[in-house]
Amino acid sequence: MPKIINVNGRQVFDSRGIPTIETEIHLDDGHYASAIVPSGASTGTYEAHELRDKENKDFLGKSVLKSVKNVNTEISKEIKNFDIFDQKKIDQVLIDLDGTKQKKRLGANSILSVSIAACKVAAVSKNISLYKYLSNSKKNSLPYPLMNIINGGAHANNTLRIQEFMIRPDKAKSFSEAVKICFLVIQKLKFLMNSKNLSTTVGDEGGFAPSLKNNEQAIEFILEAIDKAGFKTGKDVCICLDVASNELFKEGKYAVNNSNFENSKKTIEYYFNLISKYPIKSIEDPFSENDWISWSEFNKLIKSKKKNIQIVGDDLFVTNKERLSKGIKEKAANAILIKPNQIGTISETLEVINLAHKNKYNSIISHRSGDSEDTFIADLSVATNSSQIKTGSLSRSERVAKYNRLLKIEEELGKNVKMASI
Ligand code: PGA
Ligand code: ZN
């Protein structure tokens, strides 16, 4: 069995120009691989801890030099000579070495960089694709992309309240067709925005970030673009939203519609009207991370009205098994967003996905707003047969890199590979 001989962390930069950590692992068989961890802007309170040098003003408190040091000293010493194919053991040792619930001591960013680099180098050493190494099923499907084509909230400096306005090309029979449909809609949207003298500069996740009046105007622009691109709204291409409502929540009330804070009953009404009026098929984080009651009420309402809506927990579940279990028990949602850096190791990430699938929850593998050229999540989405992947618009190399990787995987899997069922 190939063994780890060297673990080397370094500080690099993410797509927003903010420091992050990259770790490289070398094996005694000569193989090596590296991983860069992403970082969020609208982060949930229950996420694993991202270690930054708050007191070091050289990088305005944002450097990750402590995290790098942890990898190069404690972690490196501990996992040297480990069998690279025993991912579970590597991850467990990292968890135990940290010893805290939210990975506060060593930092979830330090730990995850090692965990992902270990998976990658193991696949390289076996000379197989990463998704094959990570997968325990014989047949793999490709995920539907959720492309975030208009950015608002914490990802843009416009006044749009909802953070992400996404499209999902339900009509697509292959991943390449899915990307083509999104491409056509995005190009039409750009044309429409230009013709109305709206800015076509992009936000953190590559979607346009125009100054629009309200959420409805953003949705209507997208619907017009879908129509003008020659597709049927709702049938060929639907709309998916990420409200990221933690950011819009104060003292039990939400300011989703406009800047006025409304109680959760009114907010539920607002969402219900929105999904009745527009072909919206998915809503992420409609309520805050502690407001379990509103989540359950909304889910109950959706079911009783026989609306086929995906309700996605991101900040609610934070890729955490205990929080997902609570959500399953309380019937809070029917899908989970999966962000490996919310939990900190790949073994724990895979466990959460299994739990979700066992309970008929959809899993959506996700990037972060601060991301990089690392395409690990593309392989993860195929390995786990996740129904969707959320990795921004068809713009900005760190977003497109994941789509390009999936196109390669599609080619490798050959003609018979199917899209996941949604
Ligand atoms: P984040 O945004 O990476 O800034 O948290 C992505 C999301 O909320 O899904
Ligand atoms: Zn989200």
Side-chain angles (χ1 to χ4, degrees), residues 147-255:
M147 286 210 191
N148 177 8
I149 64 175
I150 294 188
N151 294 187
H155 293 167
N157 67 351
N158 55 18
T159 51
L160 278 173
R161 310 207 60 83
I162 290 181
Q163 183 178 278
E164 301 173 17
F165 297 83
M166 296 171 278
I167 50 169
R168 192 179 68 192
D170 292 1
K171 175 190 192 299
K173 296 276 181 291
S174 66
F175 190 77
S176 27
E177 190 189 357
V179 175
K180 182 184 172 191
I181 293 170
C182 292
F183 160 80
L184 292 170
V185 174
I186 292 166
Q187 293 304 313
K188 276 288 174 229
L189 184 62
K190 188 170 189 177
F191 176 81
L192 278 175
M193 301 239 162
N194 267 327
S195 69
K196 301 238 155 65
N197 281 329
L198 285 162
S199 159
T200 53
T201 51
V202 297
D204 287 347
E205 298 189 346
F208 301 120
S211 287
L212 297 177
K213 270 198 320 239
N214 51 33
N215 302 325
E216 287 78 356
Q217 203 189 9
I219 293 171
E220 273 160 24
F221 257 118
I222 295 175
L223 291 177
E224 193 179 340
I226 296 171
D227 183 57
K228 291 246 159 75
F231 300 111
K232 286 197 186 74
T233 57
K235 199 155 179 281
D236 296 343
V237 185
C238 70
I239 292 196
C240 303
L241 304 173
D242 179 7
V243 182
S245 73
N246 267 353
E247 309 289 318
L248 307 171
F249 180 73
K250 210 168 67 189
E251 291 157 8
K253 293 184 169 177
Y254 297 89

Side-chain angles (χ1 to χ4, degrees), residues 190-399:
K190 188 170 189 177
F191 176 81
L192 278 175
M193 301 239 162
N194 267 327
S195 69
K196 301 238 155 65
N197 281 329
L198 285 162
S199 159
T200 53
T201 51
V202 297
D204 287 347
E205 298 189 346
F208 301 120
S211 287
L212 297 177
K213 270 198 320 239
N214 51 33
N215 302 325
E216 287 78 356
Q217 203 189 9
I219 293 171
E220 273 160 24
F221 257 118
I222 295 175
L223 291 177
E224 193 179 340
I226 296 171
D227 183 57
K228 291 246 159 75
F231 300 111
K232 286 197 186 74
T233 57
K235 199 155 179 281
D236 296 343
V237 185
C238 70
I239 292 196
C240 303
L241 304 173
D242 179 7
V243 182
S245 73
N246 267 353
E247 309 289 318
L248 307 171
F249 180 73
K250 210 168 67 189
E251 291 157 8
K253 293 184 169 177
Y254 297 89
V256 179
N257 183 6
N258 51 44
S259 55
N260 297 331
F261 283 84
E262 308 266 25
N263 64 23
S264 65
K265 191 168 169 265
K266 278 258 160 67
T267 308
I268 289 177
E269 257 172 52
Y270 174 70
Y271 291 137
F272 196 77
N273 289 337
L274 217 55
I275 58 179
S276 304
K277 191 164 168 203
Y278 299 114
I280 295 167
K281 294 261 182 76
S282 177
I283 304 188
E284 181 180 329
D285 281 353
F287 305 100
S288 90
E289 61 197 3
N290 292 318
D291 192 2
W292 293 94
I293 294 174
S294 299
W295 279 88
S296 303
E297 270 179 23
F298 186 51
N299 202 15
K300 208 161 104 192
L301 177 73
I302 296 293
K303 272 197 192 135
S304 72
K305 301 278 183 193
K306 302 214 171 2
K307 296 257 182 213
N308 181 19
I309 306 280
Q310 178 174 257
I311 303 176
V312 189
D314 170 14
D315 293 338
L316 181 73
F317 295 141
V318 289
T319 317
N320 180 307
K321 220 168 87 180
E322 275 130 57
R323 290 189 65 87
L324 176 61
S325 301
K326 182 171 160 81
I328 291 165
K329 218 166 79 208
E330 307 213 354
K331 298 190 171 57
N334 54 33
I336 180 171
L337 204 76
I338 299 290
K339 292 168 166 169
N341 82 324
Q342 285 179 326
I343 189 69
T345 66
I346 292 313
S347 301
E348 289 165 291
T349 305
L350 294 172
E351 256 184 74
V352 175
I353 297 172
N354 279 337
L355 177 67
H357 290 179
K358 268 194 196 129
N359 288 280
K360 309 241 172 320
Y361 267 52
N362 279 344
S363 59
I364 305 164
I365 308 296
S366 172
H367 64 166
R368 300 302 308 241
S369 49
D371 217 287
S372 74
E373 64 271 32
D374 194 304
T375 57
F376 177 78
I377 58 163
D379 284 76
L380 181 65
S381 69
V382 177
T384 54
N385 289 331
S386 288
S387 60
Q388 294 144 86
I389 185 167
K390 186 175 115 160
T391 185
S393 188
L394 208 55
S395 144
R396 297 187 60 132
S397 293
E398 77 282 3
R399 315 293 151 187

Side-chain angles (χ1 to χ4, degrees), residues 30-198:
H31 293 112
Y32 63 94
S34 60
I36 304 178
V37 300
S39 169
S42 58
T43 49
T45 315
Y46 301 100
E47 292 192 21
H49 183 70
E50 181 182 68
L51 187 63
R52 291 200 183 270
D53 312 320
K54 290 212 172 96
E55 63 298 332
N56 181 347
K57 296 299 165 219
D58 286 355
F59 285 91
L60 312 174
K62 292 186 185 297
S63 57
V64 292
L65 301 171
K66 253 189 276 167
S67 169
V68 168
K69 191 167 166 233
N70 289 342
V71 168
N72 291 343
T73 55
E74 258 192 88
I75 293 179
S76 169
K77 198 169 143 224
E78 191 73 20
I79 68 166
K80 247 183 212 160
N81 294 320
F82 267 40
D83 167 7
I84 197 62
F85 299 136
D86 199 346
Q87 183 74 32
K88 262 205 164 145
K89 184 170 168 202
I90 294 171
D91 287 342
Q92 193 55 53
V93 163
L94 295 172
I95 293 165
D96 294 343
L97 187 65
D98 176 83
T100 69
K101 206 159 179 245
Q102 281 183 293
K103 302 185 176 68
K104 279 205 163 130
R105 200 178 71 79
L106 296 171
N109 42 350
S110 330
I111 293 172
L112 185 66
S113 70
V114 176
S115 183
I116 298 181
C119 299
K120 285 190 180 180
V121 73
V124 172
S125 175
K126 279 203 164 170
N127 198 21
I128 57 172
S129 288
L130 182 54
Y131 68 88
K132 277 197 183 135
Y133 176 72
L134 286 169
S135 182
N136 50 22
S137 90
K138 285 215 173 70
K139 262 200 149 169
N140 291 106
S141 54
L142 289 159
Y144 278 85
L146 288 177
M147 286 210 191
N148 177 8
I149 64 175
I150 294 188
N151 294 187
H155 293 167
N157 67 351
N158 55 18
T159 51
L160 278 173
R161 310 207 60 83
I162 290 181
Q163 183 178 278
E164 301 173 17
F165 297 83
M166 296 171 278
I167 50 169
R168 192 179 68 192
D170 292 1
K171 175 190 192 299
K173 296 276 181 291
S174 66
F175 190 77
S176 27
E177 190 189 357
V179 175
K180 182 184 172 191
I181 293 170
C182 292
F183 160 80
L184 292 170
V185 174
I186 292 166
Q187 293 304 313
K188 276 288 174 229
L189 184 62
K190 188 170 189 177
F191 176 81
L192 278 175
M193 301 239 162
N194 267 327
S195 69
K196 301 238 155 65
N197 281 329
L198 285 162

